[in-house]
Each structure stands twice: as structure tokens, then as C-alpha cells.
Amino acid sequence: MQKIPTNLAPSPAKSELPLDLTGPHITAGASAAQRLYQALCETIVSGLVKPGEPLPPSRTLAKQTGFRRNAVVIAYERLIADGFAEATVGSGTFVAARIPARAAGPTKPKAAVEAPRQGAFSLGCTHIDERAVQRFRAFVGRRMRAFGAEHLHYGDPRGSRELRAAIADHLLSARGLRCDPDQIMLTSGTLHALRIVLGAILKPNDQVWCEDPGYPAAGRTIAHCGYRTVSVPVDEHGMRIAKGRTAAPSARAAYVTPSHQFPLGVQMSMPRRLELLDWAKTAGAFVFEDDYDSEFRYDGAPLMSLAGIDRLQRVIYMGTFAKTLFPGLRIGYCALPERLIIDVTAARAALDRFPGTLMEGAVADMLHSGAFAANLKRVRKLYREARDALATTLEAASDGILSVPVPSQGLHLVARFDASIDLAVAAQAKQAAGAEGWLLADTYMRARPLPGFVLGFSGHAIPQLVASAELLARASRAALRAKSKPARRA
């Protein structure tokens, strides 16, 4: 231990220090030396002792505080090490001429980060069947009991081959997409995959087509990465490729949700899909296919994925287990064209080395055992009932002012006012009802926004959805009446 010189004689003015040993700057349960150090820091930074002034000898401070002298010596040592004090052999310990510009204890951050709310109509909520939870718990337990060396070192930047192979099998059977496990990369979700691949294949300021209206989080990710988003309008057939060619013919990529367009819910027609693939091939561009909620189709078979049609030549396919299992799992994936594997893998290794390994085996077990498919079948039925209850209640309770097309797929629906209605009506109704979900207008970039709501129905109890739908419908009627009422003359 470093020997701390003590003052030969205390300063008359500072024979006792004004120390607060019980204030909020003191850590509960801390040692005597730690508490004394924190109290001394608080006294110094608050200006109760000035730079250059002597501190009491260790024996004097020990007598004042009732602590052992050894605790005082340790506290002084920390003050010196952290720059709050200076020691001179034969002279004593003094407050440093310049003290660090920081508080002695933790302070409340000025900017509070609020977690997303999970009220009625919130998007991103899910339900998992209790039988699936039991199976998953058993798989996790078995994998932990067989804990292996693969968890003790860095792994493949793409993730475990076992889970990648299971995903490849799933994509072939569910989405008609044939790919090798080497073309699969595990991520923490769709936006993570988007960020990694964009960084590997694009240059700063490259243009990216985005659906308008579209998924705001994807647009923000693309812009945050330094690329230029190009608004391409959407109609009942999906993205209007001709508009994209006109707006940005030299764009290097396109981001689309062709199976279930967010937020409108339309499916991209086969002619549009082929037109998009033709543009990508001609322009040497790539298409990011976010297969949003493709597993939750309630009527008929889904169209083949874009990547399946393209055979992974120009399409990067992105999926996630956030909805099919649960968001807290934080496992997604992308399927890559063979020509991109090396560059994207290198980008992943540079970004965060490799994905977490502990849950990969359990998810592979869910896929191989049939538990994943069984859970989907059960929750799909539950979500269909929630969808129907929400749509029926909204239309009936709103007296027809809200149009609610019933989506054949997905985990949300859109409730719209007539296009002539002021956008403020929807905003006022949503606020008055205390509703979660999104305003439809907030999903638009440049196209003329429509008044309405984007309402999630998955992961919510049906009675809660019905009650909240009645409240939102009443608020919508009231907001529309208030807007239509003529202003009084003065």
C-alpha cells in the first residue's frame, strides 16, 4: 500500500471538515473507506474546501468521523489517485489545485429514455402458447446441461450452422426459398440485418427506394446509415416500380414488404414483383425483402417470396422470430445471394463479431421438433379471432365513419377516415382515447397522407381490444363532430 504523508499540524480553519456521511451521494452498504471517500469528494466538489487548502491529518479525521485510521488512509489514497487531492512528503495532503469536473456520486440523467408502451393497439406484441413455452424451456435446459466449448470462444460471424440449417429447411417448406445454410446469417432482428448488409454493399449517399407509406423504422435505419431514401408510392398492387424508375433510376437498392405491405396490408402483385426484379437486374441493384408477418396468413396460401422467385440472385431475404416466438429472443436472420456472402460476413465480423450462441440450439430444436409449427397454428387461430373482433367493433361503434378492411394476413389492421377528412381529426381522436398504435399519416414520407390509424391486434386480450375499439370509435365520432361544427361569430 502506498504510504500517505499526514499533515504535521491541522489548519486552524479546517481542523474539522463539514462532511455529510449519510446523504444521497453515499452508496448504501458501502465500506467505511468508500463512504468517507464519497463524503470527501462531495465536500471538495461543492466548494466547502478550496483548491490548495490542507486536509486534516489522518488521525484527526479518524477521530472526527469515528472511522479507523486505516479507512481514512485508504480514502486519501483514492482522492489522490482520482485527482481530487495531492500529497507532499513532510507537508501533508491538500485539495488539488484543479479538481476533476465531475460529481462525487451518481446523478439522474437529464434525458430519460422511455420504453415503448404496451397498451391496446400497440404493435410488436405477441402471444406464445403455454405448450410452446414448456417445450422451449425444456430445450434450453437440455442445451445448458450439455454446455459445450462452442460457447467459450468466438464463433462463425453468421451464427451456428445447426440453426442456419434449420432455418434453410423452414424457408424451403414455408416460403419456397431454396438456399444453402452458408447463405443464412443470424442477426438480432430485421433492422440489424438491414444495417449490416447495407454497410457491406452500398456507398455513402447511395439511393434506396422505400415504400410510401412504409415502415418508418426501416427508413430511419437507412438514413442513419448515411444513405438517401427515395419515396416510391404504393397502390393496391404494391410499390409502383415505374415511379421508382422515374424518381431514382440509378438507386442501388430497394426496401419492400411484398407479402404484407406495411402499413396498408396489400400484397405486391406478381407483375409488380417481376417488374421489380427486372429493374434490380438491369440496374445492378439489390432488393431487401422484409417478409413482414408472412407466417400469419388467414385466408389462402401466400404468394411465393420474392427471393424464391429470384432464386437469391438480387434479393436479400429478411425474417425474424420476434413475432413467431417472442421479441425478447432477439434472433432474426437473412438469406444472402452467394455473391454477397464474403463481403457481408466480413461486415458482420467488423460490427459485432458474431451472434449470441446460448439460445441458438433451443430455437433449432423448436424448428426440428415441430413445436414451432404447432405454436404458429395455435396462435394464428387466436390472432384471427382478435382481428375479427377488432374490425367488427370498430366499424359498428364508429357508425360507418371508419373504414376497416379486414386483412388476410399480418398482425395489424388499418382503420381509415374518408380521404377528405382533416388529419387532425385522427390525431385528436387517438389522444382523447388514450390509444396506442400509430397514426396512419405518420407512415408517409412524401405521398399525400390519409387520415386513420394503424392498430395492432396480436398479443392483446380480446375483451381489452373490444373495449379500446369502442372508446376509439366514440372519440373518432366526437373529433369529427367538433371539426365539422361551424365556428361562432364574434
Side-chain angles (χ1 to χ4, degrees):
M1 180 181 295
Q2 179 184 358
K3 184 177 180 180
I4 302 300
T6 56
N7 301 319
L8 299 178
S11 169
K14 301 297 179 184
S15 58
E16 285 201 355
L17 288 178
L19 295 176
D20 181 359
L21 293 166
T22 60
H25 52 279
I26 302 299
T27 301
S31 66
Q34 173 72 357
R35 286 184 286 143
L36 180 56
Y37 165 78
Q38 291 174 335
L40 287 166
C41 283
E42 181 68 17
T43 298
I44 291 171
V45 299
S46 63
L48 294 178
V49 288
K50 305 298 182 182
E53 287 189 1
L55 294 173
S58 58
R59 286 190 176 87
T60 302
L61 190 56
K63 184 177 181 180
Q64 174 190 337
T65 60
F67 293 147
R68 293 180 180 274
R69 186 184 174 211
N70 187 53
V72 178
V73 172
I74 293 173
Y76 275 4
E77 282 183 335
R78 283 203 60 186
L79 286 178
I80 295 169
D82 290 347
F84 288 97
E86 297 170 346
T88 304
V89 176
S91 298
T93 306
F94 301 83
V95 178
R98 294 184 61 186
I99 62 174
R102 66 176 179 89
T107 58
K108 184 177 180 180
K110 293 182 179 179
V113 178
E114 185 177 353
R117 297 179 181 178
Q118 305 301 327
F121 310 139
S122 293
L123 280 72
C125 298
T126 60
H127 173 83
I128 184 169
D129 185 79
E130 180 59 31
R131 284 164 288 187
V133 173
Q134 293 174 359
R135 296 293 301 277
F136 187 75
R137 185 181 294 121
F139 290 140
V140 171
R142 183 168 67 86
R143 292 285 177 159
M144 287 301 295
R145 288 191 294 274
F147 190 93
E150 67 273 13
H151 304 301
L152 303 178
H153 54 75
Y154 295 131
D156 190 320
R158 294 167 298 178
S160 76
R161 184 174 179 83
E162 181 184 12
L163 180 52
R164 289 188 284 118
I167 291 171
D169 291 342
H170 167 70
L171 292 179
L172 178 60
S173 62
R175 303 299 291 126
L177 173 56
R178 186 181 299 276
C179 62
D180 188 273
D182 285 344
Q183 293 176 271
I184 302 290
M185 181 178 69
L186 303 181
T187 67
S188 65
T190 299
L191 296 180
H192 187 211
L194 181 64
R195 187 181 187 94
I196 293 171
V197 182
L198 281 171
I201 68 175
L202 297 191
K203 297 177 181 178
N205 291 317
D206 276 351
Q207 295 175 309
V208 180
W209 289 1
C210 293
E211 296 165 325
D212 191 4
Y215 184 36
R220 289 193 295 268
T221 296
I222 293 167
H224 185 76
C225 290
Y227 311 112
R228 291 182 290 163
T229 57
V230 177
S231 162
V232 182
V234 172
D235 62 17
E236 66 273 17
H237 301 294
M239 176 183 274
R240 300 176 64 182
I241 310 305
K243 292 288 187 180
R245 287 181 182 270
T246 301
S250 60
R252 305 302 302 155
Y255 170 85
V256 292
T257 53
S259 295
H260 180 241
Q261 199 275 333
F262 188 93
L264 300 181
V266 301
Q267 279 194 341
M268 183 180 284
S269 66
M270 187 58 71
R272 290 280 177 85
R273 292 171 182 243
L274 296 176
E275 189 180 359
L276 177 60
L277 295 177
D278 180 66
W279 164 76
K281 182 178 180 181
T282 303
F286 288 94
V287 177
F288 288 85
E289 178 183 13
D290 187 346
D291 207 22
Y292 184 76
D293 292 348
S294 65
E295 296 89 353
F296 298 100
R297 184 163 179 82
Y298 310 108
D299 303 298
L303 291 174
M304 182 182 288
S305 65
L306 265 178
I309 299 170
D310 176 62
R311 298 183 181 180
L312 280 181
Q313 297 300 305
R314 287 283 166 185
V315 177
I316 296 103
Y317 179 96
M318 301 186 297
T320 176
F321 293 104
K323 308 295 196 309
T324 52
L325 287 175
F326 51 93
L329 192 59
R330 301 309 298 144
I331 295 181
Y333 53 89
C334 62
L336 302 165
E338 188 175 354
R339 74 185 77 185
L340 298 183
I341 294 174
I342 293 177
D343 288 343
V344 173
T345 301
R348 173 59 185 273
L351 183 64
D352 62 356
R353 297 297 288 265
F354 72 115
T357 58
L358 279 177
M359 293 296 164
E360 291 177 342
V363 175
D365 290 338
M366 290 289 286
L367 289 166
H368 285 312
S369 67
F372 177 82
N375 177 68
L376 274 183
K377 184 177 180 180
R378 288 190 285 264
V379 299
R380 192 183 291 122
K381 180 178 182 294
L382 181 65
Y383 292 162
R384 179 199 288 269
E385 294 172 357
R387 175 202 66 175
D388 293 346
L390 176 56
T392 300
T393 304
L394 280 174
E395 286 202 329
S398 67
D399 292 338
I401 67 171
L402 287 174
S403 172
V404 190
V406 179
S408 62
Q409 184 169 309
L411 304 178
H412 76 272
L413 56 74
V414 172
R416 310 180 200 175
F417 292 93
D418 186 84
S420 63
I421 301 299
D422 194 308
L423 297 177
V425 171
Q428 292 167 7
K430 183 175 181 293
Q431 182 177 15
E436 300 297 332
W438 295 1
L439 291 172
L440 180 56
D442 290 343
T443 66
Y444 284 80
M445 297 170 61
R446 294 183 178 273
R448 182 177 179 270
L450 295 174
F453 314 101
V454 182
L455 306 174
F457 54 78
S458 64
H460 301 292
I462 291 179
Q464 180 192 27
L465 281 175
V466 170
S468 298
E470 291 173 343
L471 184 60
L472 181 60
R474 289 196 299 269
S476 296
R477 296 199 312 268
L480 186 58
R481 285 196 302 269
K483 193 68 177 179
S484 304
K485 190 178 296 184
R488 294 183 178 180
R489 294 185 179 180

Short mmCIF file of all heavy atoms in Angstrom, two decimals, residues 19-60:
data_model
loop_
_atom_site.label_atom_id
_atom_site.label_comp_id
_atom_site.label_asym_id
_atom_site.label_seq_id
_atom_site.Cartn_x
_atom_site.Cartn_y
_atom_site.Cartn_z
N LEU A 19 -18.46 17.24 6.73
CA LEU A 19 -18.69 16.01 5.97
C LEU A 19 -20.13 15.52 6.15
O LEU A 19 -20.63 15.47 7.28
CB LEU A 19 -17.73 14.91 6.43
CG LEU A 19 -16.24 15.14 6.17
CD1 LEU A 19 -15.43 14.00 6.77
CD2 LEU A 19 -15.97 15.26 4.68
N ASP A 20 -20.77 15.13 5.05
CA ASP A 20 -22.09 14.51 5.08
C ASP A 20 -21.92 13.03 4.75
O ASP A 20 -21.67 12.66 3.61
CB ASP A 20 -23.01 15.18 4.05
CG ASP A 20 -24.41 14.59 4.05
OD1 ASP A 20 -24.67 13.66 4.84
OD2 ASP A 20 -25.25 15.05 3.26
N LEU A 21 -22.02 12.20 5.78
CA LEU A 21 -21.79 10.77 5.62
C LEU A 21 -23.07 9.96 5.41
O LEU A 21 -23.02 8.72 5.40
CB LEU A 21 -21.04 10.23 6.85
CG LEU A 21 -19.61 10.75 7.01
CD1 LEU A 21 -19.09 10.45 8.41
CD2 LEU A 21 -18.70 10.14 5.95
N THR A 22 -24.21 10.65 5.22
CA THR A 22 -25.49 9.93 5.06
C THR A 22 -26.31 10.42 3.88
O THR A 22 -27.43 9.95 3.69
CB THR A 22 -26.34 10.07 6.34
OG1 THR A 22 -26.60 11.47 6.58
CG2 THR A 22 -25.63 9.46 7.54
N GLY A 23 -25.81 11.36 3.11
CA GLY A 23 -26.58 11.96 2.02
C GLY A 23 -26.77 11.04 0.82
O GLY A 23 -26.30 9.89 0.81
N PRO A 24 -27.46 11.53 -0.20
CA PRO A 24 -27.74 10.71 -1.39
C PRO A 24 -26.49 10.34 -2.19
O PRO A 24 -26.53 9.44 -3.02
CB PRO A 24 -28.68 11.59 -2.23
CG PRO A 24 -28.41 12.99 -1.75
CD PRO A 24 -28.08 12.87 -0.31
N HIS A 25 -25.36 11.02 -1.93
CA HIS A 25 -24.12 10.72 -2.62
C HIS A 25 -23.40 9.51 -2.01
O HIS A 25 -22.39 9.06 -2.55
CB HIS A 25 -23.18 11.94 -2.59
CG HIS A 25 -22.97 12.49 -1.20
ND1 HIS A 25 -23.88 13.31 -0.60
CD2 HIS A 25 -21.97 12.30 -0.30
CE1 HIS A 25 -23.45 13.63 0.61
NE2 HIS A 25 -22.29 13.03 0.81
N ILE A 26 -23.92 8.99 -0.91
CA ILE A 26 -23.30 7.86 -0.22
C ILE A 26 -23.97 6.57 -0.68
O ILE A 26 -25.20 6.45 -0.66
CB ILE A 26 -23.43 8.00 1.31
CG1 ILE A 26 -22.78 9.31 1.79
CG2 ILE A 26 -22.80 6.80 2.00
CD1 ILE A 26 -21.30 9.41 1.49
N THR A 27 -23.17 5.60 -1.10
CA THR A 27 -23.68 4.31 -1.53
C THR A 27 -24.07 3.47 -0.32
O THR A 27 -23.25 3.25 0.57
CB THR A 27 -22.62 3.56 -2.36
OG1 THR A 27 -22.26 4.34 -3.49
CG2 THR A 27 -23.16 2.21 -2.83
N ALA A 28 -25.35 3.01 -0.33
CA ALA A 28 -25.82 2.19 0.79
C ALA A 28 -25.01 0.89 0.88
O ALA A 28 -24.75 0.24 -0.13
CB ALA A 28 -27.30 1.87 0.60
N GLY A 29 -24.61 0.55 2.10
CA GLY A 29 -23.89 -0.69 2.33
C GLY A 29 -22.41 -0.65 1.98
O GLY A 29 -21.74 -1.68 2.04
N ALA A 30 -21.92 0.54 1.58
CA ALA A 30 -20.51 0.65 1.20
C ALA A 30 -19.61 0.55 2.43
O ALA A 30 -20.05 0.75 3.58
CB ALA A 30 -20.25 1.96 0.47
N SER A 31 -18.32 0.28 2.20
CA SER A 31 -17.36 0.20 3.30
C SER A 31 -17.12 1.58 3.89
O SER A 31 -17.48 2.61 3.30
CB SER A 31 -16.04 -0.38 2.79
OG SER A 31 -15.44 0.53 1.87
N ALA A 32 -16.50 1.62 5.06
CA ALA A 32 -16.21 2.90 5.72
C ALA A 32 -15.30 3.75 4.84
O ALA A 32 -15.52 4.96 4.69
CB ALA A 32 -15.57 2.65 7.08
N ALA A 33 -14.28 3.14 4.23
CA ALA A 33 -13.37 3.90 3.38
C ALA A 33 -14.10 4.47 2.16
O ALA A 33 -13.87 5.63 1.77
CB ALA A 33 -12.22 3.00 2.93
N GLN A 34 -15.01 3.68 1.57
CA GLN A 34 -15.77 4.15 0.42
C GLN A 34 -16.70 5.30 0.79
O GLN A 34 -16.80 6.29 0.07
CB GLN A 34 -16.56 2.99 -0.19
CG GLN A 34 -17.51 3.38 -1.31
CD GLN A 34 -16.80 3.75 -2.59
OE1 GLN A 34 -15.57 3.77 -2.64
NE2 GLN A 34 -17.56 4.07 -3.63
N ARG A 35 -17.38 5.17 1.93
CA ARG A 35 -18.28 6.24 2.36
C ARG A 35 -17.51 7.53 2.67
O ARG A 35 -17.95 8.64 2.32
CB ARG A 35 -19.09 5.79 3.58
CG ARG A 35 -20.19 4.79 3.23
CD ARG A 35 -21.03 4.44 4.45
NE ARG A 35 -20.29 3.55 5.35
CZ ARG A 35 -20.35 3.60 6.67
NH1 ARG A 35 -21.08 4.51 7.27
NH2 ARG A 35 -19.67 2.74 7.41
N LEU A 36 -16.37 7.38 3.29
CA LEU A 36 -15.57 8.56 3.60
C LEU A 36 -15.05 9.20 2.32
O LEU A 36 -15.06 10.44 2.18
CB LEU A 36 -14.41 8.18 4.52
CG LEU A 36 -13.48 9.33 4.95
CD1 LEU A 36 -14.26 10.44 5.62
CD2 LEU A 36 -12.38 8.80 5.86
N TYR A 37 -14.62 8.38 1.39
CA TYR A 37 -14.16 8.92 0.09
C TYR A 37 -15.28 9.71 -0.59
O TYR A 37 -15.07 10.81 -1.09
CB TYR A 37 -13.69 7.76 -0.79
CG TYR A 37 -13.52 8.14 -2.25
CD1 TYR A 37 -12.42 8.84 -2.69
CD2 TYR A 37 -14.50 7.81 -3.18
CE1 TYR A 37 -12.27 9.20 -4.02
CE2 TYR A 37 -14.38 8.15 -4.52
CZ TYR A 37 -13.26 8.85 -4.94
OH TYR A 37 -13.12 9.21 -6.25
N GLN A 38 -16.48 9.15 -0.62
CA GLN A 38 -17.59 9.83 -1.27
C GLN A 38 -17.94 11.14 -0.56
O GLN A 38 -18.25 12.14 -1.22
CB GLN A 38 -18.80 8.89 -1.33
CG GLN A 38 -18.61 7.71 -2.27
CD GLN A 38 -19.75 6.72 -2.21
OE1 GLN A 38 -20.45 6.63 -1.20
NE2 GLN A 38 -19.93 5.95 -3.28
N ALA A 39 -17.90 11.12 0.76
CA ALA A 39 -18.18 12.34 1.51
C ALA A 39 -17.12 13.41 1.26
O ALA A 39 -17.43 14.61 1.11
CB ALA A 39 -18.26 12.03 3.01
N LEU A 40 -15.86 13.01 1.20
CA LEU A 40 -14.78 13.96 0.92
C LEU A 40 -14.93 14.54 -0.48
O LEU A 40 -14.75 15.75 -0.70
CB LEU A 40 -13.42 13.27 1.08
CG LEU A 40 -12.98 12.97 2.51
CD1 LEU A 40 -11.81 11.98 2.52
CD2 LEU A 40 -12.58 14.27 3.22
N CYS A 41 -15.25 13.68 -1.46
CA CYS A 41 -15.46 14.18 -2.83
C CYS A 41 -16.57 15.21 -2.86
O CYS A 41 -16.46 16.26 -3.50
CB CYS A 41 -15.82 13.01 -3.76
SG CYS A 41 -14.43 12.00 -4.25
N GLU A 42 -17.68 14.92 -2.17
CA GLU A 42 -18.82 15.84 -2.15
C GLU A 42 -18.42 17.18 -1.54
O GLU A 42 -18.79 18.25 -2.02
CB GLU A 42 -19.97 15.21 -1.36
CG GLU A 42 -21.22 16.06 -1.29
CD GLU A 42 -21.92 16.20 -2.62
OE1 GLU A 42 -21.64 15.41 -3.54
OE2 GLU A 42 -22.74 17.13 -2.75
N THR A 43 -17.64 17.13 -0.49
CA THR A 43 -17.20 18.36 0.16
C THR A 43 -16.29 19.18 -0.76
O THR A 43 -16.40 20.40 -0.83
CB THR A 43 -16.45 18.01 1.46
OG1 THR A 43 -17.34 17.34 2.34
CG2 THR A 43 -15.91 19.26 2.14
N ILE A 44 -15.42 18.49 -1.49
CA ILE A 44 -14.47 19.19 -2.38
C ILE A 44 -15.19 19.79 -3.58
O ILE A 44 -15.02 20.97 -3.90
CB ILE A 44 -13.36 18.22 -2.82
CG1 ILE A 44 -12.46 17.87 -1.62
CG2 ILE A 44 -12.52 18.83 -3.95
CD1 ILE A 44 -11.47 16.76 -1.90
N VAL A 45 -16.02 18.99 -4.28
CA VAL A 45 -16.64 19.49 -5.50
C VAL A 45 -17.70 20.55 -5.20
O VAL A 45 -18.03 21.37 -6.06
CB VAL A 45 -17.24 18.34 -6.34
CG1 VAL A 45 -16.18 17.36 -6.77
CG2 VAL A 45 -18.38 17.64 -5.61
N SER A 46 -18.27 20.52 -3.98
CA SER A 46 -19.27 21.54 -3.63
C SER A 46 -18.63 22.85 -3.21
O SER A 46 -19.34 23.83 -2.96
CB SER A 46 -20.17 21.02 -2.51
OG SER A 46 -19.42 20.79 -1.33
N GLY A 47 -17.29 22.88 -3.10
CA GLY A 47 -16.59 24.13 -2.80
C GLY A 47 -16.46 24.44 -1.32
O GLY A 47 -16.04 25.55 -0.96
N LEU A 48 -16.81 23.49 -0.44
CA LEU A 48 -16.69 23.74 1.00
C LEU A 48 -15.24 23.79 1.44
O LEU A 48 -14.92 24.37 2.48
CB LEU A 48 -17.45 22.66 1.78
CG LEU A 48 -18.97 22.66 1.59
CD1 LEU A 48 -19.61 21.52 2.36
CD2 LEU A 48 -19.56 23.99 2.02
N VAL A 49 -14.36 23.14 0.68
CA VAL A 49 -12.91 23.35 0.85
C VAL A 49 -12.36 23.76 -0.49
O VAL A 49 -12.81 23.26 -1.54
CB VAL A 49 -12.21 22.08 1.37
CG1 VAL A 49 -12.55 21.83 2.83
CG2 VAL A 49 -12.55 20.86 0.54
N LYS A 50 -11.44 24.66 -0.51
CA LYS A 50 -10.96 25.27 -1.75
C LYS A 50 -9.70 24.57 -2.26
O LYS A 50 -8.96 23.94 -1.49
CB LYS A 50 -10.64 26.75 -1.51
CG LYS A 50 -11.80 27.56 -0.94
CD LYS A 50 -12.99 27.57 -1.89
CE LYS A 50 -14.13 28.42 -1.32
NZ LYS A 50 -15.31 28.38 -2.22
N PRO A 51 -9.44 24.68 -3.58
CA PRO A 51 -8.20 24.13 -4.13
C PRO A 51 -6.98 24.65 -3.39
O PRO A 51 -6.88 25.85 -3.10
CB PRO A 51 -8.23 24.61 -5.58
CG PRO A 51 -9.68 24.76 -5.89
CD PRO A 51 -10.31 25.26 -4.62
N GLY A 52 -6.07 23.76 -3.04
CA GLY A 52 -4.84 24.13 -2.35
C GLY A 52 -4.93 24.09 -0.85
O GLY A 52 -3.91 24.16 -0.16
N GLU A 53 -6.15 24.02 -0.28
CA GLU A 53 -6.29 24.00 1.17
C GLU A 53 -5.87 22.63 1.72
O GLU A 53 -6.09 21.60 1.08
CB GLU A 53 -7.72 24.31 1.58
CG GLU A 53 -8.10 25.77 1.38
CD GLU A 53 -9.45 26.10 2.00
OE1 GLU A 53 -10.06 25.18 2.60
OE2 GLU A 53 -9.88 27.25 1.89
N PRO A 54 -5.30 22.63 2.92
CA PRO A 54 -4.86 21.35 3.51
C PRO A 54 -6.05 20.56 4.05
O PRO A 54 -7.04 21.13 4.53
CB PRO A 54 -3.93 21.79 4.64
CG PRO A 54 -4.42 23.16 5.03
CD PRO A 54 -4.92 23.80 3.77
N LEU A 55 -5.93 19.25 3.97
CA LEU A 55 -6.90 18.36 4.59
C LEU A 55 -6.39 17.95 5.96
O LEU A 55 -5.18 17.97 6.22
CB LEU A 55 -7.10 17.13 3.71
CG LEU A 55 -7.75 17.38 2.35
CD1 LEU A 55 -7.74 16.11 1.51
CD2 LEU A 55 -9.17 17.92 2.50
N PRO A 56 -7.27 17.61 6.89
CA PRO A 56 -6.82 17.26 8.25
C PRO A 56 -5.90 16.04 8.23
O PRO A 56 -5.99 15.19 7.33
CB PRO A 56 -8.13 16.93 8.98
CG PRO A 56 -9.21 17.56 8.16
CD PRO A 56 -8.72 17.54 6.76
N PRO A 57 -5.03 15.92 9.22
CA PRO A 57 -4.23 14.70 9.35
C PRO A 57 -5.15 13.50 9.49
O PRO A 57 -6.29 13.61 9.93
CB PRO A 57 -3.41 14.93 10.62
CG PRO A 57 -3.43 16.41 10.82
CD PRO A 57 -4.72 16.90 10.28
N SER A 58 -4.67 12.35 9.11
CA SER A 58 -5.50 11.15 9.14
C SER A 58 -6.01 10.85 10.54
O SER A 58 -7.15 10.42 10.71
CB SER A 58 -4.72 9.96 8.58
OG SER A 58 -3.54 9.75 9.35
N ARG A 59 -5.19 11.07 11.58
CA ARG A 59 -5.64 10.79 12.95
C ARG A 59 -6.78 11.72 13.34
O ARG A 59 -7.74 11.31 13.99
CB ARG A 59 -4.48 10.94 13.94
CG ARG A 59 -3.48 9.80 13.90
CD ARG A 59 -2.50 9.90 15.06
NE ARG A 59 -1.58 8.76 15.09
CZ ARG A 59 -0.44 8.68 14.43
NH1 ARG A 59 -0.06 9.73 13.67
NH2 ARG A 59 0.32 7.61 14.50
N THR A 60 -6.66 13.00 12.94
CA THR A 60 -7.70 13.98 13.27
C THR A 60 -9.02 13.62 12.60
O THR A 60 -10.09 13.67 13.21
CB THR A 60 -7.27 15.38 12.81
OG1 THR A 60 -6.03 15.71 13.46
CG2 THR A 60 -8.31 16.42 13.15
#
